[in-house]
Amino acid sequence: MGCSTGDDACDADEKPAHRVQMTKAFEIGKYEVTQAQWQAVMGSNPSTIKGDERPVETISKTDAQDFLARLNTRNDGYRYHLPTEAEWEYAARAGSNRAPSLDEVAWYAANSGDETHPVGQKKSNAWGLYDMLGNVREWVEDLYGRDYYGNSPAADPTGPEPGAQGAGRAVAQQQQGGQFQRRNFGRGGRGRQLPVVRGGGWDNAANFVRFSARYHYYGPPLRVSDIGFRAARDPIPSTGGSSK
């Protein structure tokens, strides 16, 4: 997890690269959650760029968690949640430490036409997951910790505890004169940690659309047209015994 060998676009918060062990079974969505799926569960469509099979966007982290909470009321044997950063990156890499050809797998600034696209149109990764890079950036469960990779647990990391120090400065990018530029976008700190989004989106330049790139913003209420999410779920262990 973290900066890939030979990747010179990595920021300090993507280092050090480190081995992570996933000890708990989980499943992750083949696609980003679509507008049709959101509409079926929530009864509305907040997306800016409309299309049933396009990913839902213009939703906050809290909105995404509300959607997943509604799925949990169905009691179908799974617990639905946002993936952790570790789960997301594990699924995105699909066993590889090499960057794919972006034009084959991702909608990003160079090929998106300034809009999202229906999910699943690009090539999947080795595990059959689509749009892990590009289309929309994806909310994950963790809070941001600038130095977290230096002391995170080796098994099933879930991000820093609320209130931990080292949240760091958020980074956004703005298009100016056809060039994407990095800009500071707020500061986290003790008691003000920031949520994380992963994967890059339709309006991001190639150096932001990488497996290890981490974005963090002001807080869970943020709603923009290049952020959506992907559902993860864990099987709920059976607690009942057999009846006679």
Side-chain angles (χ1 to χ4, degrees):
M1 186 173 180
C3 186
S4 300
T5 301
D7 187 348
D8 58 6
C10 294
D11 287 327
D13 64 0
E14 300 172 44
K15 302 173 183 177
H18 55 290
R19 187 175 297 276
V20 169
Q21 182 180 17
M22 311 304 297
T23 69
K24 301 174 183 177
F26 75 97
E27 299 176 354
I28 196 166
K30 182 176 183 178
Y31 307 110
E32 294 161 330
V33 173
T34 67
Q35 295 174 34
Q37 291 170 327
W38 182 275
Q39 178 81 40
V41 173
M42 305 299 283
S44 62
N45 183 5
S47 302
T48 300
I49 307 168
K50 293 291 197 289
D52 283 352
E53 297 307 311
R54 296 177 191 244
V56 67
E57 27 82 1
T58 318
I59 56 164
S60 68
K61 181 177 180 179
T62 303
D63 295 335
Q65 290 170 325
D66 288 346
F67 173 93
L68 297 167
R70 293 197 186 191
L71 294 186
N72 285 328
T73 65
R74 299 178 177 184
N75 298 315
D76 63 359
Y78 292 92
R79 180 184 71 89
Y80 293 85
H81 58 92
L82 292 173
T84 65
E85 280 202 86
E87 288 171 339
W88 186 95
E89 190 168 328
Y90 175 77
R93 289 185 180 276
S96 175
N97 198 39
R98 299 181 62 182
S101 167
L102 276 187
D103 285 318
E104 290 185 359
V105 303
W107 297 110
Y108 67 112
N111 65 10
S112 70
D114 292 330
E115 62 180 352
T116 61
H117 290 263
V119 300
Q121 290 190 337
K122 290 289 188 177
K123 183 179 178 180
S124 72
N125 70 10
W127 292 350
L129 305 176
Y130 293 84
D131 302 308
M132 292 300 296
L133 296 176
N135 218 4
V136 291
R137 294 176 287 174
E138 301 178 14
W139 291 114
V140 293
E141 187 64 35
D142 304 33
L143 296 173
Y144 178 74
R146 180 187 58 225
D147 303 319
Y148 182 65
Y149 284 6
N151 54 27
S152 62
D156 306 310
T158 57
E161 293 296 320
Q165 288 183 310
R169 181 177 291 277
V171 176
Q173 58 179 27
Q174 181 178 17
Q175 190 172 11
Q176 296 178 346
Q179 299 295 316
F180 285 83
Q181 300 180 354
R182 299 178 68 99
R183 300 183 63 202
N184 292 325
F185 200 77
R187 181 177 292 278
R190 184 176 293 277
R192 192 186 177 199
Q193 286 165 293
L194 305 170
V196 182
V197 288
R198 287 298 212 107
W202 57 266
D203 56 345
N204 293 142
N207 61 314
F208 289 86
V209 186
R210 298 178 294 106
F211 290 138
S212 60
R214 308 170 73 204
Y215 305 78
H216 48 294
Y217 289 92
Y218 275 122
L222 179 73
R223 295 181 178 93
V224 290
S225 63
D226 67 348
I227 297 182
F229 73 108
R230 186 181 305 259
R233 69 182 189 179
D234 309 328
I236 298 174
S238 174
T239 57
S242 59
S243 60
K244 295 182 178 181

